Amino acid sequence: PFQCAESNGSAVQCADSAHWNVERGRAEMDEASRNNVWEVTHVKKLPDAERALAMLRELKLHVDPLLGARGFRVQKLYEICCCTAGGKDVRIGGFCCPAGDGRTSRRIALRLRAAGSHVLLSFDHCLKVLIHELAHIVQGNHSAQFYAAMDELGRQYAQLREKGMLLDAASFPMSGGRALDTARRNPTGL
């Protein structure tokens, strides 16, 4: 078996070389294609699980251009809940496990649901929490530098959104953060 480092510094055994090959393949990707969210996962057993997964995917679409512009990467973006191990403390909206290189997060966890009721929170709320967690890639604690980095990320996101550099699920530019009218993308009666 191969040993793979976890973000907490411990080593885990990989059952075979398949895991090693995935990691090697990631290492061989060109640098620009790595500056995004690599994987999203949700809690499948909860109500509206597919909507939660869709929200994570949409969050990914919204932050990928920001990650690319900053040279950041998030290896895993996933949902936490009051009934999962990482989400028991209902006071937190998410957390980031940075790799320590100032560019990479091993994982970012987001609370997508209200504690107890499991009702999905608003997209805008989850996006704000995600931008907060992205700031932890470069600033670990909640210092003045952290809040400056978070504000800068928020401003840069707003600029990308206004310039139409965010793409919807069909890879069309969003205008002002909203998907363009699909009926008008390929007008037939001009």
Side-chain angles (χ1 to χ4, degrees):
F2 294 89
Q3 286 209 334
C4 304
E6 280 291 305
S7 62
N8 63 6
S10 65
V12 295
Q13 296 290 323
C14 300
D16 57 32
S17 62
H19 185 269
W20 181 82
N21 287 335
V22 169
E23 291 303 314
R24 186 172 146 211
R26 282 187 181 150
E28 292 172 356
M29 282 193 263
D30 75 303
E31 194 64 23
S33 69
R34 297 177 70 203
N35 297 331
N36 59 19
V37 176
W38 294 0
E39 175 186 5
V40 297
T41 60
H42 66 300
V43 181
K44 295 175 185 156
K45 66 182 181 179
L46 292 176
D48 293 324
E50 290 306 312
R51 284 184 54 216
L53 179 59
M55 184 184 298
L56 284 169
R57 288 177 176 157
E58 187 173 356
L59 288 164
K60 175 188 173 356
L61 286 173
H62 277 254
V63 299
D64 275 352
L66 180 60
L67 296 174
R70 304 288 298 210
F72 288 179
R73 60 187 62 129
V74 175
Q75 293 174 345
K76 184 175 184 178
L77 175 63
Y78 67 101
E79 177 183 14
I80 58 170
C81 180
C82 59
C83 58
T84 61
K88 298 284 186 204
D89 185 349
V90 298
R91 297 170 297 169
I92 63 167
F95 58 85
C96 175
C97 297
D101 62 0
R103 296 179 29 186
T104 306
S105 172
R106 300 257 185 244
R107 59 188 182 272
I108 291 180
L110 290 180
R111 184 176 308 282
L112 301 180
R113 303 163 187 274
S117 70
H118 296 122
V119 172
L120 288 170
L121 300 170
S122 75
F123 177 83
D124 288 338
H125 170 81
C126 294
L127 180 62
K128 287 176 185 174
V129 173
L130 179 54
I131 289 173
H132 174 104
E133 299 308 331
L134 291 175
H136 283 300
I137 294 173
V138 292
Q139 293 292 327
N141 59 9
H142 292 124
S143 63
Q145 292 88 0
F146 167 82
Y147 287 107
M150 186 177 79
D151 290 344
E152 185 180 332
L153 286 167
R155 283 190 299 275
Q156 189 172 13
Y157 169 79
Q159 289 171 347
L160 292 169
R161 187 174 176 163
E162 289 305 314
K163 290 179 181 177
M165 296 181 75
L166 301 179
L167 303 179
D168 66 13
S171 296
F172 286 99
M174 295 181 202
S175 175
R178 295 188 344 228
L180 298 175
D181 182 2
T182 57
R184 298 183 57 123
R185 287 188 182 145
N186 294 310
T188 57
L190 290 182

